[in-house]
Coordinates of all heavy atoms in Angstrom, one line a residue:
M1278 N 40.3 -35.5 -2.2 CA 40.3 -34.2 -1.5 C 41.3 -33.3 -2.1 O 42.5 -33.6 -2.4 CB 40.7 -34.5 0.0 CG 40.6 -33.2 0.9 SD 40.9 -33.8 2.6 CE 41.6 -32.3 3.2
A1279 N 40.9 -31.9 -2.2 CA 41.8 -31.0 -2.9 C 43.0 -30.6 -2.0 O 42.9 -30.7 -0.8 CB 41.0 -29.7 -3.2
D1280 N 44.0 -30.2 -2.4 CA 45.2 -29.7 -1.7 C 44.7 -28.3 -1.0 O 44.0 -27.5 -1.5 CB 46.4 -29.3 -2.6 CG 47.0 -30.6 -3.2 OD1 46.8 -31.7 -2.5 OD2 47.6 -30.6 -4.2
N1281 N 45.2 -28.3 0.2 CA 44.8 -27.1 1.0 C 45.7 -25.9 0.5 O 46.9 -26.2 0.1 CB 45.1 -27.3 2.5 CG 44.0 -28.2 3.2 OD1 43.0 -28.6 2.4 ND2 44.2 -28.6 4.3
I1282 N 45.2 -24.7 0.6 CA 46.0 -23.6 0.1 C 46.4 -22.7 1.4 O 45.7 -23.0 2.5 CB 45.2 -22.7 -0.8 CG1 43.8 -22.2 -0.2 CG2 44.9 -23.4 -2.2 CD1 43.1 -21.2 -0.9
E1283 N 47.4 -22.0 1.2 CA 47.8 -21.1 2.4 C 47.0 -19.9 2.4 O 46.8 -19.2 1.5 CB 49.2 -20.8 2.3 CG 49.8 -20.2 3.6 CD 51.2 -20.1 3.7 OE1 51.9 -19.4 2.9 OE2 51.8 -20.8 4.5
L1284 N 46.2 -19.6 3.6 CA 45.4 -18.6 3.8 C 46.0 -17.6 4.9 O 46.6 -18.0 5.8 CB 44.0 -19.0 4.3 CG 43.2 -19.9 3.3 CD1 42.0 -20.4 4.0 CD2 42.8 -19.1 2.0
I1285 N 45.8 -16.3 4.6 CA 46.1 -15.3 5.7 C 44.9 -15.1 6.5 O 43.8 -14.8 6.1 CB 46.5 -14.0 5.0 CG1 47.8 -14.2 4.2 CG2 46.8 -12.9 6.1 CD1 47.6 -14.4 2.7
M1286 N 45.2 -15.4 7.8 CA 44.0 -15.2 8.8 C 44.5 -14.1 9.9 O 45.5 -14.2 10.4 CB 43.9 -16.5 9.6 CG 43.5 -17.6 8.6 SD 43.4 -19.2 9.4 CE 41.7 -19.1 10.1
R1287 N 43.7 -13.0 9.9 CA 44.0 -11.9 10.7 C 43.0 -11.8 11.9 O 41.8 -11.7 11.6 CB 44.0 -10.6 10.1 CG 45.2 -10.6 9.0 CD 45.3 -9.2 8.4 NE 46.6 -8.8 8.5 CZ 47.0 -7.6 8.2 NH1 46.1 -6.7 7.8 NH2 48.3 -7.2 8.4
F1288 N 43.4 -12.0 13.1 CA 42.5 -12.0 14.2 C 42.6 -10.7 15.0 O 43.8 -10.2 15.2 CB 42.9 -13.1 15.2 CG 42.6 -14.5 14.6 CD1 43.7 -15.1 13.9 CD2 41.5 -15.1 14.7 CE1 43.6 -16.3 13.2 CE2 41.4 -16.4 14.2 CZ 42.3 -17.0 13.4
H1289 N 41.5 -10.0 15.3 CA 41.4 -8.7 15.9 C 40.9 -8.8 17.3 O 39.8 -9.0 17.5 CB 40.7 -7.6 15.1 CG 40.7 -6.3 15.7 ND1 41.8 -5.5 15.7 CD2 39.7 -5.6 16.4 CE1 41.5 -4.4 16.2 NE2 40.4 -4.4 16.7
P1290 N 41.7 -8.9 18.4 CA 41.3 -9.2 19.7 C 40.8 -7.8 20.4 O 41.3 -6.8 19.9 CB 42.5 -9.7 20.4 CG 43.6 -9.2 19.7 CD 43.2 -9.1 18.3
V1291 N 40.0 -8.0 21.4 CA 39.5 -6.8 22.1 C 40.7 -6.2 22.8 O 41.5 -6.9 23.5 CB 38.5 -7.2 23.2 CG1 38.1 -6.0 24.1 CG2 37.3 -7.8 22.5
G1292 N 41.0 -5.0 22.6 CA 42.1 -4.2 23.3 C 43.4 -4.7 23.0 O 44.3 -4.4 23.7
G1293 N 43.7 -5.3 21.9 CA 45.0 -5.8 21.6 C 45.4 -5.6 20.2 O 44.6 -5.0 19.4
E1294 N 46.7 -6.0 19.9 CA 47.0 -5.8 18.4 C 46.7 -7.0 17.6 O 46.4 -8.1 18.1 CB 48.5 -5.7 18.5 CG 49.2 -4.5 19.1 CD 50.6 -4.4 18.9 OE1 51.2 -5.0 17.9 OE2 51.3 -3.8 19.8
D1295 N 46.4 -6.8 16.3 CA 46.0 -7.7 15.4 C 47.1 -8.9 15.4 O 48.3 -8.7 15.6 CB 46.0 -7.3 13.9 CG 44.8 -6.4 13.8 OD1 44.0 -6.2 14.7 OD2 44.5 -5.8 12.8
V1296 N 46.6 -10.2 15.2 CA 47.5 -11.2 15.0 C 47.3 -11.8 13.7 O 46.2 -12.1 13.2 CB 47.3 -12.4 16.1 CG1 48.0 -13.5 16.0 CG2 47.3 -11.8 17.6
S1297 N 48.4 -12.0 12.9 CA 48.3 -12.5 11.6 C 49.0 -13.8 11.6 O 50.0 -14.1 11.9 CB 49.1 -11.5 10.7 OG 49.1 -12.0 9.2
L1298 N 48.3 -14.8 11.0 CA 48.7 -16.1 10.8 C 48.6 -16.6 9.4 O 47.6 -16.2 8.8 CB 48.0 -17.2 11.7 CG 48.2 -17.0 13.2 CD1 47.1 -18.0 13.8 CD2 49.4 -17.4 13.6
L1299 N 49.5 -17.4 8.9 CA 49.3 -18.1 7.6 C 49.1 -19.5 7.9 O 49.8 -20.2 8.7 CB 50.6 -17.9 6.8 CG 50.7 -16.5 6.2 CD1 51.4 -15.6 7.1 CD2 51.6 -16.6 4.9
S1300 N 48.0 -20.0 7.4 CA 47.5 -21.4 7.7 C 47.2 -22.2 6.4 O 46.6 -21.7 5.5 CB 46.3 -21.3 8.6 OG 45.9 -22.6 8.9
A1301 N 47.7 -23.4 6.3 CA 47.3 -24.3 5.2 C 46.4 -25.4 5.8 O 46.5 -26.5 5.3 CB 48.6 -24.9 4.7
D1302 N 45.6 -25.1 6.8 CA 44.7 -26.1 7.3 C 43.3 -26.3 6.6 O 42.6 -27.2 6.8 CB 44.4 -25.8 8.8 CG 45.5 -26.1 9.7 OD1 45.5 -27.2 10.2 OD2 46.4 -25.2 9.9
F1303 N 43.1 -25.4 5.6 CA 41.8 -25.4 5.0 C 41.8 -25.3 3.5 O 42.9 -24.9 3.0 CB 41.0 -24.1 5.5 CG 40.9 -24.1 7.0 CD1 41.7 -23.2 7.7 CD2 40.0 -24.8 7.6 CE1 41.6 -23.0 9.0 CE2 39.9 -24.7 9.0 CZ 40.6 -23.8 9.7
G1304 N 40.8 -25.8 2.8 CA 40.9 -25.8 1.3 C 40.6 -24.5 0.7 O 40.9 -24.3 -0.4
G1305 N 40.0 -23.6 1.5 CA 39.7 -22.2 1.0 C 39.1 -21.4 2.0 O 38.8 -21.8 3.2
P1306 N 38.9 -20.0 1.7 CA 38.4 -19.2 2.8 C 37.0 -19.6 3.3 O 36.8 -19.4 4.5 CB 38.1 -17.8 1.9 CG 39.2 -18.0 0.9 CD 39.2 -19.4 0.4
A1307 N 36.1 -20.0 2.5 CA 34.8 -20.5 3.0 C 34.9 -21.6 4.1 O 34.2 -21.6 5.1 CB 33.8 -20.9 1.9
E1308 N 35.8 -22.6 3.8 CA 36.0 -23.7 4.8 C 36.6 -23.1 6.1 O 36.2 -23.5 7.2 CB 37.0 -24.7 4.2 CG 37.2 -25.9 5.0 CD 38.1 -27.0 4.3 OE1 38.2 -27.0 3.1 OE2 38.8 -27.6 5.1
A1309 N 37.6 -22.2 6.0 CA 38.2 -21.6 7.2 C 37.1 -20.8 7.9 O 37.0 -20.9 9.2 CB 39.3 -20.6 6.7
L1310 N 36.2 -20.0 7.3 CA 35.2 -19.2 8.1 C 34.1 -20.2 8.7 O 33.8 -19.9 9.8 CB 34.5 -18.2 7.1 CG 35.4 -17.1 6.6 CD1 34.7 -16.3 5.5 CD2 35.8 -16.2 7.8
E1311 N 33.9 -21.3 8.1 CA 33.0 -22.2 8.6 C 33.6 -22.8 9.9 O 32.9 -22.9 10.9 CB 32.6 -23.3 7.6 CG 31.6 -24.3 8.1 CD 31.2 -25.3 7.1 OE1 31.1 -24.9 6.0 OE2 31.1 -26.5 7.6
A1312 N 34.8 -23.2 9.9 CA 35.5 -23.7 11.1 C 35.6 -22.7 12.2 O 35.4 -23.0 13.4 CB 36.9 -24.2 10.7
I1313 N 35.8 -21.4 11.8 CA 35.9 -20.3 12.8 C 34.5 -20.1 13.5 O 34.4 -20.1 14.7 CB 36.4 -19.1 12.2 CG1 37.8 -19.3 11.8 CG2 36.3 -17.8 13.2 CD1 38.4 -18.1 10.9
A1314 N 33.5 -20.0 12.6 CA 32.1 -19.9 13.2 C 31.7 -21.1 14.0 O 31.0 -20.9 15.1 CB 31.2 -19.8 12.0
R1315 N 32.1 -22.3 13.7 CA 31.7 -23.5 14.5 C 32.4 -23.3 15.8 O 31.8 -23.6 16.9 CB 32.1 -24.7 13.7 CG 31.1 -25.7 13.6 CD 31.5 -26.9 12.9 NE 32.8 -27.2 12.5 CZ 33.2 -27.0 11.1 NH1 32.3 -26.7 10.2 NH2 34.5 -27.2 10.9
A1316 N 33.8 -22.9 15.8 CA 34.4 -22.8 17.1 C 33.8 -21.8 17.9 O 33.7 -21.9 19.2 CB 35.8 -22.5 16.8
L1317 N 33.4 -20.6 17.4 CA 32.7 -19.6 18.1 C 31.4 -20.0 18.7 O 31.2 -19.8 19.8 CB 32.5 -18.4 17.3 CG 33.7 -17.4 17.0 CD1 33.4 -16.5 15.9 CD2 34.1 -16.7 18.2
N1318 N 30.6 -20.8 17.9 CA 29.3 -21.1 18.3 C 29.4 -22.2 19.5 O 28.6 -22.3 20.4 CB 28.5 -21.8 17.3 CG 27.9 -20.8 16.4 OD1 27.9 -19.6 16.6 ND2 27.7 -21.1 15.0
D1319 N 30.5 -23.1 19.4 CA 30.6 -24.1 20.4 C 31.5 -23.6 21.6 O 31.8 -24.3 22.5 CB 31.4 -25.2 19.8 CG 30.7 -26.0 18.7 OD1 29.4 -25.8 18.7 OD2 31.2 -26.8 17.9
R1320 N 31.9 -22.3 21.6 CA 32.7 -21.7 22.6 C 33.9 -22.5 22.9 O 34.2 -22.8 24.1 CB 31.8 -21.5 23.9 CG 30.7 -20.5 23.6 CD 30.0 -20.2 24.9 NE 29.1 -19.2 24.6 CZ 27.9 -19.0 25.3 NH1 27.7 -19.6 26.3 NH2 27.1 -18.0 24.9
R1321 N 34.6 -22.8 21.9 CA 35.9 -23.5 22.0 C 37.0 -22.8 21.2 O 36.7 -21.9 20.5 CB 35.8 -25.0 21.6 CG 35.4 -25.2 20.3 CD 35.2 -26.6 19.8 NE 34.7 -26.8 18.5 CZ 35.3 -26.6 17.3 NH1 36.6 -26.4 17.3 NH2 34.8 -26.8 16.2
G1322 N 38.3 -23.2 21.4 CA 39.3 -22.6 20.6 C 39.4 -23.2 19.2 O 38.8 -24.2 18.9
L1323 N 40.0 -22.4 18.4 CA 40.3 -22.7 17.0 C 41.7 -23.4 16.9 O 42.6 -22.9 17.4 CB 40.3 -21.6 16.0 CG 40.5 -21.9 14.6 CD1 39.4 -22.8 14.0 CD2 40.7 -20.6 13.8
V1324 N 41.8 -24.7 16.5 CA 43.0 -25.4 16.4 C 43.5 -25.4 14.9 O 42.9 -25.8 14.1 CB 42.9 -26.9 16.9 CG1 44.2 -27.7 16.8 CG2 42.3 -26.9 18.3
L1325 N 44.7 -24.9 14.8 CA 45.4 -24.9 13.6 C 46.6 -25.8 13.6 O 47.5 -25.6 14.6 CB 45.8 -23.5 13.1 CG 44.7 -22.5 13.0 CD1 45.2 -21.1 12.7 CD2 43.7 -22.9 11.9
T1326 N 46.8 -26.7 12.7 CA 47.9 -27.6 12.8 C 49.1 -27.3 11.9 O 50.2 -27.7 12.1 CB 47.6 -29.1 12.6 OG1 46.9 -29.2 11.3 CG2 46.6 -29.5 13.7
H1327 N 48.8 -26.4 10.9 CA 49.8 -26.0 9.9 C 49.7 -24.5 9.8 O 49.2 -23.8 8.8 CB 49.5 -26.6 8.6 CG 49.4 -28.0 8.6 ND1 50.6 -28.8 8.7 CD2 48.4 -28.9 8.5 CE1 50.2 -30.1 8.7 NE2 48.9 -30.2 8.6
A1328 N 50.4 -23.9 10.9 CA 50.3 -22.4 10.9 C 51.6 -21.7 11.0 O 52.6 -22.3 11.6 CB 49.3 -21.9 12.0
R1329 N 51.8 -20.6 10.5 CA 53.0 -19.8 10.6 C 52.6 -18.4 11.1 O 51.8 -17.7 10.5 CB 53.8 -19.6 9.3 CG 54.2 -20.9 8.7 CD 55.1 -20.7 7.5 NE 54.3 -20.2 6.4 CZ 54.9 -19.1 5.6 NH1 56.0 -18.7 5.9 NH2 54.1 -18.7 4.6
Y1330 N 53.3 -17.9 12.2 CA 53.0 -16.6 12.8 C 53.7 -15.5 12.0 O 54.9 -15.5 11.8 CB 53.4 -16.7 14.3 CG 53.3 -15.3 15.0 CD1 52.1 -14.8 15.2 CD2 54.5 -14.6 15.2 CE1 51.9 -13.6 15.8 CE2 54.3 -13.3 15.8 CZ 53.1 -12.8 16.1 OH 52.9 -11.6 16.7
D1331 N 52.9 -14.7 11.5 CA 53.5 -13.4 10.9 C 54.6 -13.7 10.0 O 55.7 -13.1 10.0 CB 53.9 -12.3 11.9 CG 54.0 -11.0 11.4 OD1 53.3 -10.7 10.4 OD2 54.7 -10.2 12.0
R1332 N 54.4 -14.6 9.0 CA 55.3 -15.0 8.0 C 56.6 -15.6 8.5 O 57.6 -15.6 7.8 CB 55.6 -13.8 7.1 CG 54.4 -13.2 6.4 CD 54.7 -12.3 5.2 NE 53.5 -11.6 4.8 CZ 52.5 -12.1 4.1 NH1 52.4 -13.4 3.9 NH2 51.5 -11.4 3.7
A1333 N 56.7 -16.2 9.7 CA 57.8 -16.9 10.1 C 58.1 -18.1 9.2 O 57.2 -18.7 8.5 CB 57.6 -17.4 11.6
A1334 N 59.3 -18.6 9.2 CA 59.7 -19.7 8.3 C 59.2 -21.1 8.8 O 58.8 -21.9 8.1 CB 61.2 -19.7 8.2
N1335 N 59.1 -21.2 10.2 CA 58.6 -22.5 10.8 C 57.2 -22.6 10.9 O 56.5 -21.7 11.2 CB 59.3 -22.6 12.2 CG 60.8 -22.7 12.1 OD1 61.4 -23.1 11.1 ND2 61.4 -22.4 13.2
E1336 N 56.7 -23.8 10.6 CA 55.3 -24.2 10.7 C 55.0 -24.7 12.1 O 55.9 -25.5 12.5 CB 54.8 -25.1 9.6 CG 53.4 -25.2 9.5 CD 53.1 -26.2 8.3 OE1 53.1 -27.4 8.5 OE2 52.9 -25.6 7.2
N1337 N 53.9 -24.3 12.8 CA 53.7 -24.8 14.1 C 52.1 -25.1 14.2 O 51.4 -24.7 13.5 CB 54.0 -23.7 15.1 CG 55.5 -23.4 15.2 OD1 56.3 -24.2 15.6 ND2 55.8 -22.2 14.7
G1338 N 51.8 -25.8 15.3 CA 50.4 -25.9 15.7 C 50.0 -24.7 16.6 O 50.9 -24.3 17.3
V1339 N 48.8 -24.2 16.4 CA 48.4 -23.1 17.2 C 47.0 -23.3 17.6 O 46.1 -23.7 16.9 CB 48.4 -21.8 16.3 CG1 47.9 -20.6 17.1 CG2 49.8 -21.6 15.8
V1340 N 46.7 -23.0 18.9 CA 45.4 -22.9 19.4 C 45.0 -21.4 19.7 O 45.7 -20.8 20.5 CB 45.2 -23.7 20.7 CG1 43.8 -23.6 21.3 CG2 45.7 -25.2 20.4
I1341 N 43.9 -21.0 19.1 CA 43.5 -19.6 19.3 C 42.2 -19.6 20.2 O 41.3 -20.2 19.8 CB 43.2 -19.0 17.9 CG1 44.4 -19.0 17.0 CG2 42.7 -17.5 18.1 CD1 44.2 -18.7 15.6
N1342 N 42.3 -18.8 21.3 CA 41.2 -18.6 22.1 C 40.4 -17.4 21.5 O 40.8 -16.3 21.5 CB 41.6 -18.2 23.5 CG 40.6 -17.9 24.5 OD1 39.4 -17.9 24.1 ND2 41.0 -17.6 25.7
L1343 N 39.2 -17.9 21.0 CA 38.3 -16.9 20.2 C 37.5 -16.0 21.2 O 36.7 -15.2 20.8 CB 37.5 -17.6 19.3 CG 38.3 -18.3 18.1 CD1 37.3 -19.2 17.3 CD2 39.0 -17.3 17.3
A1344 N 37.5 -16.3 22.6 CA 36.8 -15.7 23.5 C 36.8 -14.0 23.5 O 35.9 -13.4 23.6 CB 37.0 -16.1 24.9
N1345 N 38.0 -13.6 23.2 CA 38.3 -12.2 23.1 C 38.5 -11.6 21.7 O 39.0 -10.5 21.6 CB 39.5 -11.8 24.0 CG 39.2 -12.1 25.4 OD1 38.1 -11.8 25.9 ND2 40.2 -12.6 26.1
V1346 N 38.2 -12.3 20.7 CA 38.3 -11.9 19.3 C 37.1 -11.1 18.8 O 36.0 -11.7 19.0 CB 38.7 -13.1 18.4 CG1 38.7 -12.7 17.0 CG2 40.0 -13.7 18.8
V1347 N 37.3 -10.0 18.4 CA 36.2 -9.2 17.9 C 35.9 -9.6 16.4 O 34.7 -9.6 16.0 CB 36.6 -7.6 17.9 CG1 35.4 -6.8 17.3 CG2 36.8 -7.2 19.3
S1348 N 36.9 -9.7 15.6 CA 36.7 -10.1 14.2 C 37.9 -10.8 13.6 O 38.9 -10.7 14.1 CB 36.4 -8.8 13.3 OG 37.6 -8.0 13.5
V1349 N 37.6 -11.5 12.5 CA 38.5 -12.3 11.9 C 38.5 -12.0 10.4 O 37.4 -11.9 9.8 CB 38.4 -13.9 12.1 CG1 39.4 -14.7 11.4 CG2 38.3 -14.1 13.6
R1350 N 39.6 -11.9 9.7 CA 39.6 -11.6 8.3 C 40.4 -12.9 7.7 O 41.5 -13.2 8.2 CB 40.3 -10.4 7.9 CG 40.4 -10.1 6.3 CD 41.2 -9.0 5.9 NE 40.7 -7.8 6.7 CZ 41.6 -6.7 6.8 NH1 42.8 -6.7 6.3 NH2 41.1 -5.7 7.5
V1351 N 39.8 -13.5 6.7 CA 40.4 -14.6 5.9 C 40.6 -14.3 4.5 O 39.6 -13.8 3.9 CB 39.6 -15.9 6.1 CG1 40.2 -17.1 5.3 CG2 39.4 -16.3 7.6
S1352 N 41.8 -14.5 4.0 CA 42.0 -14.0 2.6 C 43.1 -14.8 2.0 O 43.9 -15.5 2.7 CB 42.6 -12.6 2.6 OG 42.8 -12.1 1.3
K1353 N 43.1 -15.0 0.7 CA 44.1 -15.7 -0.1 C 45.3 -14.8 -0.3 O 46.4 -15.2 -0.5 CB 43.7 -16.1 -1.5 CG 42.7 -17.2 -1.3 CD 42.2 -17.7 -2.7 CE 41.2 -18.7 -2.7 NZ 40.7 -19.2 -4.1
T1354 N 45.1 -13.4 -0.2 CA 46.1 -12.5 -0.4 C 46.1 -11.6 0.8 O 45.0 -11.3 1.5 CB 46.0 -11.8 -1.7 OG1 44.7 -11.0 -1.7 CG2 46.1 -12.6 -2.9
D1355 N 47.2 -10.9 1.0 CA 47.3 -9.9 2.2 C 47.9 -8.5 1.6 O 48.8 -8.5 1.1 CB 48.2 -10.4 3.2 CG 48.1 -9.7 4.5 OD1 47.1 -9.0 4.8 OD2 49.1 -9.7 5.3
S1356 N 47.0 -7.5 1.7 CA 47.4 -6.2 1.3 C 46.6 -5.2 2.0 O 45.6 -5.5 2.8 CB 47.3 -6.0 -0.2 OG 45.9 -5.9 -0.5
D1357 N 46.9 -3.9 2.0 CA 46.3 -2.8 2.5 C 44.8 -2.7 1.9 O 43.9 -2.1 2.5 CB 47.0 -1.5 2.5 CG 48.3 -1.6 3.3 OD1 48.3 -2.4 4.2 OD2 49.2 -0.8 3.0
T1358 N 44.6 -3.2 0.7 CA 43.4 -3.0 0.0 C 42.4 -4.1 0.3 O 41.4 -4.2 -0.4 CB 43.6 -2.9 -1.5 OG1 44.3 -4.1 -2.0 CG2 44.5 -1.7 -1.8
T1359 N 42.6 -5.0 1.2 CA 41.8 -6.2 1.4 C 40.5 -5.8 2.3 O 39.7 -6.6 2.5 CB 42.4 -7.3 2.1 OG1 43.1 -6.9 3.3 CG2 43.5 -8.0 1.2
G1360 N 40.4 -4.5 2.7 CA 39.3 -4.0 3.4 C 39.5 -3.8 4.9 O 40.5 -4.2 5.4
Q1361 N 38.5 -3.3 5.5 CA 38.5 -3.0 7.0 C 37.8 -4.0 7.7 O 36.9 -4.8 7.2 CB 37.9 -1.7 7.2 CG 38.8 -0.5 6.5 CD 40.1 -0.4 7.1 OE1 40.3 -0.5 8.4 NE2 41.0 -0.1 6.3
Y1362 N 38.0 -4.1 9.0 CA 37.3 -5.0 9.9 C 35.9 -4.4 10.1 O 35.7 -3.1 10.0 CB 37.9 -5.1 11.3 CG 39.2 -5.9 11.3 CD1 40.5 -5.3 11.3 CD2 39.1 -7.3 11.1 CE1 41.6 -6.1 11.3 CE2 40.2 -8.0 11.1 CZ 41.4 -7.5 11.2 OH 42.6 -8.2 11.2
L1363 N 35.0 -5.2 10.4 CA 33.6 -4.7 10.7 C 33.5 -4.2 12.1 O 34.1 -4.4 12.9 CB 32.6 -5.9 10.5 CG 32.5 -6.5 9.2 CD1 31.5 -7.7 9.2 CD2 32.1 -5.5 8.0

């Protein structure tokens, strides 16, 4: 199994501010998006065991309630040029 890479995951909830997490739970963006889509389809939360909130130093486990999330962006890099939400 390949080493997991740290991905930037930005969640845009309905009527709220974006939440940015750095997660090393997945091998790449495609794997992360597949897990997010599966959680949405199954109407369950997304569980991340290796996550850092907004570049914090400490790694934590996080459960994300996807019920109120409008869109999610997954990227290997984070910048203003990574595009807009749909």
